[in-house]
Amino acid sequence: MVTVPVVRSELPIDTASLARYLIGKLVVRDLPEGIVSGHIVETEAYVIGDAAGHAYRGMTRRNRSLFLECGHAYVYIAYGSSFMLNVSSEMPGIGAGVLIRALEPLEGIPIMQLNRGVDRLRDLARGPGRLAAALRIDGRLDGLDLCRKGPLWLGHSDREAGEIALSTRIGISRDADRPLRFYLRGNPFVSGPKRLRE
């Protein structure tokens, strides 16, 4: 499959707008065994001044990639075991990001199955930790420019995204009532409870 990277100038310089824009785009991972990719079907925005966001208390060594210009990877480890892929979303020096929550697998499905140790297609990249494991994303990719081809990048899809729905975010306690989660309505690869997938 041939796809082209997203162009940074096309990306909205606004976190919520970027979270919506990324629905239907591709995450592409270049591994020694081959290309692994999937359509983004779910995102969450962590906007400027968001108490649930990692940038809320300012820049640190751990979160500095969130303060890069829009379109860079911020990869961190959650719960001591699961990596999470985020995309920086504002102007340089302003900390905010979009969490990529779920993918619909496209290329390299056998590689994803080996990486995850599961066969069920629906569960390969449904949820941010599973997604990172399926694509073998870890802290070494933190800070990477996602707007050009490399080990990990964002690409355009040749299919229409479908109906994009909005809900509150999942699994947070601060600023939990803000409608900042975007997803493809009815897509079986979206994570979360059924009421947040319809």
Side-chain angles (χ1 to χ4, degrees), residues 80-186:
S81 60
S82 298
F83 286 98
M84 308 283 176
L85 171 63
N86 299 257
V87 181
S88 62
S89 55
E90 297 284 342
M91 299 292 287
I94 299 174
V98 175
L99 172 65
I100 309 299
R101 279 199 60 90
L103 297 180
E104 179 178 337
L106 181 62
E107 293 178 280
I109 289 170
I111 300 171
M112 289 192 204
Q113 290 170 325
L114 281 172
N115 289 343
R116 287 268 294 111
V118 298
D119 292 325
R120 190 172 181 222
L121 186 64
R122 183 170 178 257
D123 289 336
L124 287 182
R126 187 171 55 90
R130 291 173 175 177
L131 183 162
L135 274 63
R136 214 178 302 155
I137 292 169
D138 60 28
R140 290 171 292 185
L141 300 172
D142 183 47
L144 198 69
D145 185 351
L146 300 174
C147 296
R148 62 182 181 193
K149 289 189 177 182
L152 181 69
W153 49 282
L154 297 169
H156 285 284
S157 173
D158 57 2
R159 78 177 196 191
E160 290 294 318
E163 184 185 354
I164 299 173
L166 182 63
S167 81
T168 55
R169 295 172 294 186
I170 295 174
I172 60 170
S173 55
R174 289 186 264 177
D175 279 352
D177 60 341
R178 301 176 77 173
L180 291 170
R181 173 178 169 264
F182 298 83
Y183 63 97
L184 273 185
R185 189 183 297 281

Side-chain angles (χ1 to χ4, degrees), residues 41 163 165 183-190 194 196-198:
V41 297
E163 184 185 354
Y183 63 97
L184 273 185
R185 189 183 297 281
N187 186 286
F189 298 94
V190 171
K194 187 176 180 182
L196 293 180
R197 288 187 270 121
E198 296 178 333

